[in-house]
Amino acid sequence: MQRKIVVFLSDTHAGSNVALMPPGLTLHDEGPNGELIPYSPEQTASQVYLWDLYQGYIQRVMEIAGRDDVIVLHVGDVCQGNKYPVGLVTTRLADQVLIAASNLSEWLKHSQVKSVRLLASTGSHAFGEASADILVTEMLKQKYPLVDIDMAYHSLLTIAGVTFDCAHHGPYVGSREWLRGNVAQLYLRDLMISSIVHGLVPPSVVVRAHYHSFVEVVTEVGQHRSTLIVLPSFSMLGDYAHQAAKSPYWVTNGMVAMDICDGEIVREHRLMKGIDTRTRGEL
């Protein structure tokens, strides 16, 4: 029996003060004589909330896995980047890479984790040309030489007999609650038909991210059946997100884990939590 647990998470946006960052992390500042002085940035309230959630879900994945292998896929936007500088933890670009590597290192503390894959981020969040993703990947490779660690722009992976098509950018989750998933259905159907036209078998699961919101749809084309998942984030709403997303009040954070055995998805675990971010009051 071949059993593996594959975990998908994304949009951790290291460097943002409303995104994932470990406590006690050592960064560096410049002293009066030009020397590097170590210091630990204090977590914001949002970061404390997200870190506790993250730790709890990692532990849950390890409980699900038991002694079986875990594969972790980070589906893009591992850093915040420098295009939107408001709300950065520091202005030093290297710090974002250090934070991102520390975030992912939490998985690598567990012996069940055998492989890690990073998918290329949005250019504005990666200093262009997947620079942040490449740097984080190389840092983790050096630190954990026994773990299979790599990155790609767009991956087609076969894991325990199940095929996964993974990339950061994909369909919008829906402009209205009653339209939620409609675009994703069309996107998935098109991908499946395109695969068939090119003489390929459609992937079992398509994983996308970018919109910081969870959607899952299932589509059948002929004898083929595929699932598309758009992942939630590990980031709260920053200044730009409030504007770009038109002030959403519901924020969902978390990840998806799949229990795979002998070419079948035995169970999907939605490890996520949604909260109402509005401030209540009476006047």
Side-chain angles (χ1 to χ4, degrees):
M1 182 182 74
Q2 185 186 33
R3 177 178 183 256
K4 293 185 179 181
I5 307 300
V6 56
V7 183
F8 301 97
L9 70 153
S10 72
D11 295 280
T12 47
H13 289 274
S16 167
N17 64 5
V18 293
L20 204 62
M21 185 182 78
L25 175 72
T26 299
L27 301 178
H28 294 86
D29 204 354
E30 185 179 353
N33 298 315
E35 74 277 22
L36 288 177
I37 299 176
Y39 78 100
S40 295
E42 185 177 352
Q43 286 181 313
T44 64
S46 290
Q47 289 173 328
V48 171
Y49 167 77
L50 291 169
W51 191 255
D52 289 345
L53 205 63
Y54 188 57
Q55 289 292 305
Y57 289 155
I58 291 175
Q59 187 58 44
R60 178 62 186 136
V61 168
M62 299 309 151
E63 291 170 359
I64 292 167
R67 296 182 178 180
D68 292 313
D69 292 353
V70 174
I71 298 168
V72 179
L73 278 82
H74 190 293
V75 191
D77 285 3
V78 72
C79 288
Q80 173 65 6
N82 56 357
K83 184 175 181 180
Y84 309 105
V86 175
L88 289 179
V89 174
T90 79
T91 56
R92 194 188 300 272
L93 303 185
D95 288 345
Q96 293 195 29
V97 176
L98 291 171
I99 295 168
S102 296
N103 287 338
L104 281 171
S105 289
E106 291 300 304
W107 292 97
L108 295 160
K109 293 176 180 178
H110 300 272
S111 61
Q112 297 101 312
V113 177
K114 304 300 183 184
S115 301
V116 176
R117 289 292 182 274
L118 281 76
L119 278 300
S121 305
T122 306
S124 60
H125 291 302
F127 318 118
E129 299 180 292
S131 297
D133 309 293
I134 293 168
L135 288 170
V136 172
T137 300
E138 292 304 317
M139 286 180 66
L140 293 176
K141 279 184 177 181
Q142 293 293 320
K143 190 173 181 180
Y144 303 97
L146 300 181
V147 181
D148 176 21
I149 303 171
D150 212 339
M151 73 142 296
Y153 278 88
H154 193 154
S155 285
L156 183 64
L157 299 170
T158 301
I159 302 172
V162 178
T163 54
F164 294 88
D165 178 313
C166 305
H168 183 65
H169 298 101
Y172 188 48
V173 296
S175 58
R176 299 289 184 271
E177 194 63 38
W178 60 91
L179 299 176
R180 196 171 185 82
N182 282 9
V183 176
Q185 284 277 6
L186 294 172
Y187 181 96
L188 178 58
R189 180 170 292 274
D190 176 66
L191 187 150
M192 294 174 73
I193 292 172
S194 176
S195 296
I196 294 166
V197 166
H198 289 94
L200 305 172
V201 177
S204 302
V205 181
V206 178
V207 182
R208 300 291 186 264
H210 189 62
Y211 289 107
H212 294 216
S213 187
F214 175 75
V215 161
E216 180 171 339
V217 297
V218 178
T219 294
E220 294 184 0
V221 176
Q223 64 186 26
H224 302 286
R225 178 185 175 91
S226 297
T227 299
L228 183 145
I229 295 172
V230 180
L231 294 167
S233 72
F234 265 100
S235 176
M236 302 302 288
L237 295 173
D239 212 32
Y240 175 73
H242 275 290
Q243 174 193 337
K246 300 179 176 63
S247 300
Y249 71 89
W250 193 261
V251 174
T252 302
N253 304 114
M255 61 185 77
V256 173
M258 290 189 174
D259 189 330
I260 306 168
C261 186
D262 294 335
E264 298 289 336
I265 299 172
V266 177
R267 187 176 178 187
E268 177 184 313
H269 302 268
R270 297 179 181 178
L271 306 174
M272 55 188 74
K273 181 179 179 180
I275 59 171
D276 184 342
T277 62
R278 293 173 293 187
T279 302
R280 282 166 167 71
E282 266 184 54
L283 298 175

